[in-house]
Amino acid sequence: MNPTTNPALTLSNPTGLYDPTANGYSHVAVVAAGAETIHVAGQGGEDEDGVLEPDFPGQVRKALDNVVVALRSVGAGPADVVRLTVLIVDHDEAKLHVLGGEFDRIFGDGLKPTCTLIPVPRLALDGMLFEVEATAVRPVRTR
């Protein structure tokens, strides 16, 4: 099943594994041979001036928006994301629900990218509560 508009990417949740849809990710991503890979460095919830949003929901929203800005800068978008790594300070299930809602906003109702969530005691900046890095793919462009 390929719910994205990207022919280089197929996401799936195989029979025999629990359905991770409620937690906002897919189990498997297959990338077609010859696809270009895009790596987006960890994005936090800071604006263009480096000012962090004051709370967890605001930081998640801004960090994911920052991923979209980075992707758009190279002609890609959310439909091209194959994998996310998420770092959350003092993670709990309430934060997971915030994250799931923001994933729905960015990635829509279909299958989400594969994702690993890592609870951490601290991130790079004082007050930073959330960070996300992304890997995206797109078909190779002919020149």
Side-chain angles (χ1 to χ4, degrees):
M1 177 178 197
N2 191 7
T4 74
T5 57
N6 183 337
L9 172 61
T10 303
L11 301 170
S12 66
N13 292 313
T15 302
L17 298 176
Y18 92 99
D19 183 357
T21 305
N23 291 326
Y25 70 96
S26 296
H27 283 297
V28 178
V30 177
V31 176
E36 293 180 319
T37 303
I38 303 160
H39 298 276
V40 177
Q43 298 296 307
E46 60 271 339
D47 65 17
E48 197 171 351
D49 296 320
V51 177
L52 277 170
E53 290 290 326
D55 60 11
F56 182 78
Q59 287 189 27
V60 173
R61 177 171 286 255
K62 185 62 179 166
L64 290 170
D65 288 347
N66 289 344
V67 167
V68 173
V69 168
L71 291 169
R72 296 268 187 250
S73 76
V74 294
D80 302 313
V81 176
V82 63
R83 178 165 178 71
L84 299 167
T85 301
V86 171
L87 306 170
I88 296 178
V89 173
D90 297 326
H91 173 66
D92 59 26
E93 286 198 35
K95 290 178 179 176
L96 182 61
H97 292 296
V98 169
L99 181 61
E102 288 298 319
F103 279 0
D104 286 343
R105 180 179 69 87
I106 295 293
F107 299 108
D109 293 332
L111 291 178
K112 308 300 186 275
T114 63
C115 181
T116 298
L117 187 156
I118 304 169
V120 296
R122 179 182 161 81
L123 289 166
L125 304 173
D126 289 342
M128 190 173 187
L129 304 172
F130 180 84
E131 186 172 2
V132 57
E133 78 176 18
T135 303
V137 297
R138 65 180 173 206
V140 174
R141 297 177 180 185
T142 56
R143 302 194 182 193

